[in-house]
Amino acid sequence: MAVFLLDMWMVAKGKEAENEEVVKQILQYGGTHPEAFNLVKSLRCFRQSIGGKPPGKFVLVTEFASLHDMEEFFKKIREDSEWRKIERKWKGVMEQTFSESLLWVDAFRELWTEK
């Protein structure tokens, strides 16, 4: 059973360029830190384009094979000064009234359509 961590946020007004930069840093971090990211099955970022309240949210989806892998991943990056710097920048671009993290588990994966 896979575990999906969804981090959702709205970008604070005037912080759009900084948001783009920090999202790129988050996505690129895995390439430069394979020892931590060997526990991540996938990492994706989406920007909402139509619908929703409020509109224009971002979501970072991190997939792990298990809760244990997710816990081990966060133990590894928690001590990394580069990650902490990226995380502070990320929190600085978020609209503080709208950010949330959700944990989802896959359901009926054997019936999914994937290519």
Side-chain angles (χ1 to χ4, degrees), residues 90-105:
W90 189 20
K91 289 181 181 185
V93 301
M94 292 180 185
E95 177 62 51
Q96 296 304 311
T97 58
F98 186 86
S99 66
E100 65 180 325
S101 295
L102 305 169
L103 194 59
W104 292 49
V105 296

Side-chain angles (χ1 to χ4, degrees), residues 11-26:
V11 179
K13 290 187 184 206
K15 300 281 187 173
E16 293 81 5
E18 291 96 329
N19 182 68
E20 277 194 34
E21 183 58 34
V22 76
V23 169
K24 288 177 184 178
Q25 289 176 358
I26 291 168

Side-chain angles (χ1 to χ4, degrees), residues 6-76:
L6 284 71
D7 291 299
M8 295 187 292
W9 72 98
M10 290 289 303
V11 179
K13 290 187 184 206
K15 300 281 187 173
E16 293 81 5
E18 291 96 329
N19 182 68
E20 277 194 34
E21 183 58 34
V22 76
V23 169
K24 288 177 184 178
Q25 289 176 358
I26 291 168
L27 295 171
Q28 292 168 346
Y29 181 87
T32 58
H33 295 80
E35 70 286 348
F37 268 74
N38 66 350
L39 297 168
V40 174
K41 290 181 69 173
S42 67
L43 177 64
R44 299 175 178 140
C45 185
F46 299 92
R47 178 176 38 217
Q48 178 188 10
S49 66
I50 297 174
K53 293 181 183 177
K57 294 182 287 257
F58 278 80
V59 62
L60 185 72
V61 181
T62 312
E63 179 184 6
F64 301 94
S66 66
L67 280 172
H68 179 266
D69 283 0
M70 184 179 78
E71 290 170 357
E72 291 300 312
F73 169 76
F74 282 109
K75 283 180 190 176
K76 287 182 178 186

Side-chain angles (χ1 to χ4, degrees), residues 78-94:
R78 178 178 34 220
E79 303 304 321
D80 182 63
S81 61
E82 183 182 347
W83 175 255
R84 289 194 316 262
K85 183 179 175 183
I86 292 169
E87 194 173 38
R88 280 192 301 276
K89 287 182 190 176
W90 189 20
K91 289 181 181 185
V93 301
M94 292 180 185

